[in-house]
Amino acid sequence: MPRRTDARMSRHRDTPATIGAMPKIVDHEQRRADIISGLLRVVARDGIDAATTRALAKELGVATGSLWHYFSNFDTLVAEATARVIDLVSTRIAERTTNVRGMAKFDAIMTELLPLDDVTRNEAVIIVNLWGRLSTRTVYFEWVGTIETWWEDLRAAMCEAVEDGELVPETPVEELVQVFAAITHGQQVAHAAIPETPPEAHEAIVRTVLAPWRA
Amino acid sequence: MPRRTDARMSRHRDTPATIGAMPKIVDHEQRRADIISGLLRVVARDGIDAATTRALAKELGVATGSLWHYFSNFDTLVAEATARVIDLVSTRIAERTTNVRGMAKFDAIMTELLPLDDVTRNEAVIIVNLWGRLSTRTVYFEWVGTIETWWEDLRAAMCEAVEDGELVPETPVEELVQVFAAITHGQQVAHAAIPETPPEAHEAIVRTVLAPWRA
């Protein structure tokens, strides 16, 4: 929940300056967004283990203490940064799947999930850096659920492909959704481990799994 | 390279005590092994971000400075701990694949790679915690190569399965090896994210991919 600041508080050294008549709440949300962006840059460039409070403050050019006016602790910040990445991916999927269905929709979704271009490769590095914390931090369990919408979209696309005769009626849609979820995560790891992996290698893996079911 | 200690040095507070006529080199290697085991316990229990020098020294009941008699820095320690995990998996695969071939060998290999029991689930958490460092530390590239032997074993098993008529001649063995590598990594992530994932869920994903190619 955003913390409201009044004019007197905004002159405190660690509080963002207000501009003209702009509501303070905007400054606060903007500063939170800036901190999240800063964290994502540091993680993508130097790894999550290098993303200390000190490194983040340096990245943003602010005092270390100022960060904790906006986030109660590091885990909250990381959780919100992860939510931001997931949200960006979901928004792109929504944009690209308007007015398409079946295999065209399937391909559009996988294009946003696999590390195929600069944007998705950068996200893969960030996501792989964040996964380790999943196993020990229940605070992240919330956003694991939000990823489910990607697999629901993929399921819907494959069902349409069966309806439209692009995939054979025997296509095990439910089972394949699980396979493509695993492949998405696996290829993000493959990119983090071997950044030279060409886009074609990621695409070939999806094609191999789908080949037996094409009509 | 092990650092040799003489009798006088062994009485230094940070040097392991020698017992009787046992060669000092054994103490040194044993202490290195103990430190690696301690790191793996901390990572599995609390995550890589909690595995600080201080936490590790506490886990082992030693002074923080003593750790760095055995490893030049934290990355070297993490790299050796990772090599140890990979080595344990490779040893188990070698043991379980003696005198088996084809699909029996394939199943034996996948049983050691997927998070199906306490040992492999523990390894999955450790591995997922370590992956983030891959993207920013070239020191780990060395062991990425050693994982390749798992996929070579899997390839050999599938080739035997084709020869023995367990898989159809059209089975795209090379392409499927890449798929199973992705699935292995993906399901380790799935376990780290959702530890309640039942073994059957991991096995079902492998079965789905293989189904179209069974003879």
Side-chain angles (χ1 to χ4, degrees), chain A residues 105-178:
Chain A
K105 194 200 277 185
F106 177 94
D107 290 340
I109 298 166
M110 292 306 287
T111 297
E112 296 305 330
L113 296 179
L114 291 172
L116 300 176
D117 63 13
D118 287 349
V119 171
T120 47
R121 276 197 286 259
N122 190 56
E123 283 169 351
V125 170
I126 291 168
I127 289 169
V128 172
N129 268 281
L130 296 171
W131 276 331
R133 300 173 82 96
L134 272 177
S135 60
T136 49
R137 300 285 198 294
T138 51
V139 67
Y140 301 127
F141 285 178
E142 197 181 323
W143 58 259
V144 172
T146 65
I147 290 181
E148 282 300 315
T149 63
W150 303 346
W151 316 133
E152 281 160 28
D153 289 345
L154 213 55
R155 183 182 295 114
M158 281 192 283
C159 286
E160 289 167 1
V162 171
E163 273 173 49
D164 298 354
E166 294 176 296
L167 294 176
V168 296
E170 304 76 36
T171 307
V173 171
E174 292 302 320
E175 290 84 347
L176 287 176
V177 168
Q178 304 302 317

Side-chain angles (χ1 to χ4, degrees), chain A residues 43-50 75 125 128-137 141 144 148 172 175-176 178-179 181-183 185-187 189-190 192-196 204-206 208-209 211-213, chain B residues 43-50 75 125 128-137 141 144 148 172 175-176 178-179 181-183 185-187 189-190 192-196 204-206 208-209 211-213:
Chain A
V43 169
R45 188 184 62 222
D46 305 323
I48 184 74
D49 57 300
D75 273 334
V125 170
V128 172
N129 268 281
L130 296 171
W131 276 331
R133 300 173 82 96
L134 272 177
S135 60
T136 49
R137 300 285 198 294
F141 285 178
V144 172
E148 282 300 315
E175 290 84 347
L176 287 176
Q178 304 302 317
V179 173
I183 287 172
H185 296 322
Q187 291 311 104
V189 170
I194 306 171
E196 309 81 61
I205 287 173
V206 174
T208 298
V209 174
W213 311 108
Chain B
V43 170
R45 190 183 62 222
D46 306 322
I48 185 75
D49 55 302
D75 273 335
V125 170
V128 172
N129 268 280
L130 295 171
W131 275 332
R133 299 173 80 94
L134 272 176
S135 60
T136 48
R137 300 287 198 291
F141 285 179
V144 172
E148 282 298 315
E175 289 85 347
L176 287 176
Q178 304 303 318
V179 173
I183 287 172
H185 296 321
Q187 290 312 103
V189 169
I194 307 170
E196 310 81 61
I205 287 173
V206 174
T208 299
V209 174
W213 310 108

Side-chain angles (χ1 to χ4, degrees), chain B residues 41-95:
Chain B
R41 280 197 306 277
V42 173
V43 170
R45 190 183 62 222
D46 306 322
I48 185 75
D49 55 302
T52 58
T53 301
R54 185 191 296 216
L56 181 54
K58 193 180 166 204
E59 175 78 16
L60 295 164
V62 300
T64 54
S66 73
L67 300 174
W68 309 122
H69 288 254
Y70 301 93
F71 295 94
S72 52
N73 58 47
F74 203 80
D75 273 335
T76 311
L77 168 56
V78 173
E80 291 207 27
T82 311
R84 157 91 78 93
V85 174
I86 292 171
D87 202 44
L88 286 172
V89 176
S90 297
T91 301
R92 293 202 313 270
I93 288 177
E95 283 169 7

